[in-house]
Amino acid sequence: MSFSVLSDIDHVAIAVRSLEEGIETYRTLLEREPEVEIVEEQGVRVAAFPLEHGRVELLEPLDEDSPVAAFLERHGEGLHHVAFRTGDADEALDRAARSGLEPLNDAARPGAGGYRIGFLHPNDLHGVLVEMAQPPGGNGGSDGDV
Ligand code: CO
């Protein structure tokens, strides 16, 4: 198995208009507290609820220029992307491109929590925006636990 294989669900991300309201709802559902972080590079404030495997992230746009603001405008609140864990986001992007899937990024870039991330276009993936997420240290191999 190659190091860049997509080994697990890293997180699912949900676009919300109000992070406070989203936190209240998902705190009720998941019965735990999130960690809140601002990710300037993605133009979002993120609330991450850890799960046994992976996590649920709520995304609130920082301003009108945020891609998530555009998403909310077009689709309303809902599933924004699914992130798969990989040991090498750059190689995973290259491999996807060679397989005919359209990357949204030429190269991986910084994400929340020290990750390196890259996205694939939803048109090629039945309407789902896919993120390839390389955790700090590149823990994309077989053990899966973070
Ligand atoms: Co993500």
Side-chain angles (χ1 to χ4, degrees):
M1 210 161 62
S2 124
F3 196 55
S4 65
V5 75
L6 306 185
S7 58
D8 205 347
I9 299 279
D10 189 86
H11 59 276
V12 296
I14 297 165
V16 299
R17 297 188 191 281
S18 159
L19 201 64
E20 278 63 39
E21 287 179 19
I23 286 173
E24 215 172 294
T25 307
Y26 278 85
R27 182 193 279 136
T28 302
L29 176 69
L30 299 172
E31 301 182 273
R32 71 201 72 192
E33 292 299 319
E35 277 186 27
V36 177
E37 180 183 1
I38 289 175
V39 186
E40 299 276 0
E41 293 88 347
Q42 311 293 326
V44 289
R45 204 154 61 100
V46 180
F49 291 83
L51 302 172
E52 192 174 339
H53 294 282
R55 61 190 186 278
V56 174
E57 290 186 355
L58 307 178
L59 309 179
E60 177 197 65
L62 285 176
D63 54 41
E64 288 305 305
D65 296 332
S66 166
V68 173
F71 178 92
L72 286 167
E73 190 70 26
R74 270 198 311 274
H75 305 282
E77 293 188 315
L79 180 67
H80 183 266
H81 64 267
V82 174
F84 294 95
R85 193 172 305 155
T86 177
D88 185 337
D90 284 289
E91 172 55 25
L93 275 173
D94 283 351
R95 197 164 43 77
R98 287 198 302 273
S99 306
L101 303 172
E102 184 188 342
L104 288 179
N105 317 105
D106 291 337
R109 45 193 186 148
Y115 274 63
R116 291 180 57 72
I117 61 172
F119 288 94
L120 299 176
H121 202 287
N123 281 356
D124 292 334
L125 293 161
H126 301 262
V128 177
L129 176 62
V130 164
E131 175 185 333
M132 298 156 124
Q134 175 186 340
N139 185 23
S142 51
D143 72 38
D145 272 323
V146 171

